[in-house]
Amino acid sequence: KRGALFFSGRLSINTTKAGTTTTTTRTTTTMSSPTNASGGSMGSGSSDGAAARDIAKKEIYSYEAPWTIYAMDFSSRRDHPFRVAIGSFVEEYCNKIRVIELNEEKEVLEQKIETDHPYPATKLMWLPNKSTKHLDLMGTSGDYMRIWQVKDDSITLLHTLTNNKRTDYCAPLTSFDWCEEDPRILGTSSIDTTCTIWDIETQQS
């Protein structure tokens, strides 16, 4: 099964500490299946529609992140059909990439692993391949293009791709996309209006 992911708003909690008031903002992520058990769409005004809505309610799962969610992507791998990566938007250097997955026995979305990420990731994307023969890879764009290897208990940075080898300045990346036909190839777009095609094995453009 595949579902749709919705960002259903924010809940602000005001707490008072040492005479000051701080606000914690949480973003709720909801995963649901848009069809009923037989594969049809949910109707209205009929017993079939009511039954479909009851089924759909059992397939809605919510997850609260401690920060605003800025980027997300579903995993394509067959062995992780309900795994999602989410990225934070925090107005600080240190941001987060978190992997959550559906625990089908408990029927809840659970945090599996998390890693720090410099600045908010402008986009994150799993390797678009259903096969389990490839390394389990995820890419993020931001100040640089980063390729991560994901395991059950860790996220490891494999490659950092940049064209700016002669200067400390880097033009931020706005987005990227992976080649579905050849997973070694991806393309990035930059705020400086350039696009770059990369071979992630050789780390060359």
Side-chain angles (χ1 to χ4, degrees):
K1 291 182 180 179
R2 292 290 292 235
L5 194 71
F6 304 97
F7 303 135
S8 61
R10 302 173 185 172
L11 173 64
S12 295
I13 304 172
N14 296 320
T15 58
T16 302
K17 183 177 181 181
T20 61
T21 301
T22 59
T23 301
T24 303
T25 302
R26 295 185 176 181
T27 303
T28 302
T29 303
T30 303
M31 182 187 295
S32 66
S33 172
T35 57
N36 62 24
S38 63
S41 60
M42 292 185 295
S44 60
S46 67
S47 58
D48 290 342
R53 284 191 294 273
D54 288 340
I55 293 171
K57 286 179 182 178
K58 298 176 184 178
E59 297 185 354
I60 296 176
Y61 307 98
S62 295
Y63 179 82
E64 278 194 2
W67 21 254
T68 299
I69 297 172
Y70 190 65
M72 60 76 57
D73 190 39
F74 272 103
S75 172
S76 299
R77 286 171 65 100
R78 293 190 184 93
D79 55 344
H80 292 285
F82 266 116
R83 183 177 61 170
V84 183
I86 57 177
S88 70
F89 183 85
V90 180
E91 294 184 13
E92 297 175 0
Y93 175 78
C94 185
N95 275 257
K96 300 291 184 182
I97 299 296
R98 180 176 292 183
V99 176
I100 60 177
E101 191 163 15
L102 177 65
N103 183 323
E104 297 191 55
E105 292 183 0
K106 297 181 179 179
E107 296 188 340
V108 294
L109 289 167
E110 296 180 333
Q111 176 182 334
K112 305 300 289 186
I113 42 179
E114 181 180 271
T115 189
D116 292 340
H117 191 279
Y119 305 106
T122 55
K123 181 176 180 178
L124 59 81
M125 185 178 182
W126 295 95
L127 181 73
N129 195 303
K130 296 181 179 180
S131 173
T132 58
K133 296 180 180 180
H134 298 283
L135 291 178
D136 197 3
L137 300 181
M138 178 175 60
T140 61
S141 55
D143 53 342
Y144 299 109
M145 181 68 216
R146 293 179 172 85
I147 306 298
W148 309 80
Q149 181 177 1
V150 180
K151 297 182 179 179
D152 289 340
D153 58 354
S154 65
I155 304 177
T156 305
L157 180 62
L158 288 185
H159 307 305
T160 301
L161 308 179
T162 176
N163 282 326
N164 302 305
K165 301 185 183 299
R166 298 181 181 179
T167 176
D168 291 336
Y169 171 76
C170 59
L173 300 176
T174 55
S175 189
F176 76 97
D177 202 6
W178 228 306
C179 177
E180 294 188 10
E181 298 298 325
D182 187 346
R184 297 173 303 171
I185 305 300
L186 61 78
T188 60
S189 60
S190 172
I191 198 172
D192 66 4
T193 72
T194 61
C195 292
T196 306
I197 305 300
W198 292 94
D199 184 321
I200 63 174
E201 288 188 355
T202 64
Q203 302 180 54
Q204 299 294 317
S205 59

